[in-house]
Amino acid sequence: MSNLFDLTGKTALVTGASGGLGRHFALTLARAGAHVAVAARREDKVAEIASEIAAGGGKALAVSLDVVNRESVADAFETIKQTAGGVDIVVNNAGVAARDSALDMSEETFDWVMETNLKGVWNVAQAAGRLMAANGNGGSIINIASILGIRVAKGVLPYAISKAGVAQMTKALAIEWARHKIRVNALAPGYFVTDINREFLASEAGQEIVARVPQRRTGDPVDLEGPLLLLASDAGAYMTGTVVPVDGGHVINSV
Ligand SMILES: NC(=O)c1ccc[n+]([C@@H]2O[C@H](COP(=O)([O-])OP(=O)(O)OC[C@H]3O[C@@H](n4cnc5c(N)ncnc54)[C@H](OP(=O)(O)O)[C@@H]3O)[C@@H](O)[C@H]2O)c1
């Protein structure tokens, strides 16, 4: 039987790949055989990660990308087009978080989170969709949502709204782009320790949240590898418009 999860010959773009989950997604796709465009604003970090992939025998390209800036997004896709001809897999991962009460939250904070997490995902998805539709080969777009787009917690208002928007955007794009053979799905991770939440998860409030996860632990980036490869590869050929929680059961626990 052929390996349905094999990505040999495919080109992938991972946004926000300069650290955290994005770095792990880039390494995972490269190990599965994809040529990976490692993209984020910190050019030194993306260059390091691209070198790490190449040193391990994989194929990678470092790309400078600010998802908020549509010109930067267009430039990044142009670079990928020139280098690889097109893109087959896009992991729309770049994101930011802010913690404040709804009464104290500033307009700047609200706009920053929404611009990056919602409009940034749209900017990248539209550019990817246009390129995939023009090439006629279809593709797979994987948006990184969050269980906070499904359930909610105190102090994360714009983050929760932006991720609920990403889940709905995933479905809206999936129904429009199925005719172009483009699948659009989302992963909704629970809590994984990265720079985005390290401090919070070490606090008493953070530990209380982890205690409510049925599996009683935070996620390990390795836990996302299987779900990512399922959505990226032919193994998920009949999946589109789904939002897949990867959370140790957190989202189904109402206490
Ligand atoms: N960790 C979790 O528990 C968790 C749970 C659910 C969902 N998520 C989601 O997973 C994604 C990755 O988060 P993470 O935990 O890995 O956090 P992280 O370590 O803080 O990584 C965030 C990444 O996003 C990039 N980024 C931020 N703004 C950007 C912009 N304007 N343009 C391009 N890249 C930008 C950053 O790179 P540069 O600064 O170099 O641009 C960085 O590589 C986010 O969408 C997050 O909401 C995380």
Side-chain angles (χ1 to χ4, degrees):
M1 196 180 101
S2 67
N3 179 0
L4 281 172
F5 295 90
D6 184 26
L7 300 180
T8 306
K10 304 285 186 193
T11 299
L13 162 68
V14 182
T15 73
S18 55
L21 301 183
R23 172 182 171 275
H24 200 83
F25 292 146
L27 292 169
T28 302
L29 295 173
R31 267 199 304 273
H35 181 184
V36 182
V38 182
R41 294 168 304 180
R42 285 173 295 169
E43 294 178 18
D44 54 331
K45 295 280 180 199
V46 292
E48 247 172 57
I49 292 157
S51 302
E52 189 181 344
I53 289 172
K59 278 174 82 180
L61 164 75
V63 176
S64 167
L65 171 67
D66 181 349
V67 298
V68 169
N69 180 332
R70 284 177 70 91
E71 213 172 297
S72 169
V73 173
D75 288 348
F77 275 89
E78 191 52 37
T79 305
I80 294 164
K81 201 171 144 188
Q82 296 299 332
T83 315
V87 69
D88 305 292
I89 299 155
V90 171
V91 185
N92 224 333
N93 166 77
V96 294
R99 193 162 281 282
D100 208 345
S101 72
L103 287 178
D104 292 334
M105 179 88 52
S106 70
E107 183 182 358
E108 288 71 25
T109 301
F110 184 92
D111 287 348
W112 174 62
V113 175
M114 296 299 282
E115 282 282 315
T116 311
N117 293 9
L118 190 57
K119 188 149 178 233
V121 167
W122 153 244
N123 288 339
V124 171
Q126 188 185 43
R130 284 177 174 168
L131 184 55
M132 288 171 177
N135 279 355
N137 300 324
S140 169
I141 298 175
I142 301 158
N143 296 324
I144 306 304
S146 164
I147 57 165
L148 284 170
I150 304 170
R151 70 199 291 278
V152 79
K154 289 176 188 161
V156 289
L157 178 132
Y159 186 84
I161 298 172
S162 69
K163 294 299 186 179
V166 167
Q168 193 70 343
M169 192 193 313
T170 300
K171 297 172 195 176
L173 296 177
I175 53 169
E176 284 202 30
W177 291 352
R179 74 193 62 178
H180 297 293
K181 295 183 285 179
I182 302 169
R183 298 185 296 107
V184 189
N185 292 285
L187 290 177
Y191 288 82
F192 290 71
V193 182
T194 67
D195 290 348
I196 215 168
N197 55 23
R198 197 177 312 280
E199 218 173 288
F200 171 71
L201 286 175
S203 71
E204 203 177 313
Q207 286 300 306
E208 275 172 24
I209 285 183
V210 177
R212 281 187 229 127
V213 181
Q215 290 191 356
R216 296 284 184 272
R217 65 172 177 92
T218 53
D220 185 301
V222 172
D223 296 321
L224 288 162
E225 285 181 13
L228 176 79
L229 291 175
L230 173 66
L231 298 180
S233 70
D234 287 346
Y238 201 50
M239 293 178 76
T240 196
T242 68
V243 179
V244 182
V246 185
D247 66 344
H250 199 164
V251 82
I252 53 165
N253 200 356
S254 55
V255 292

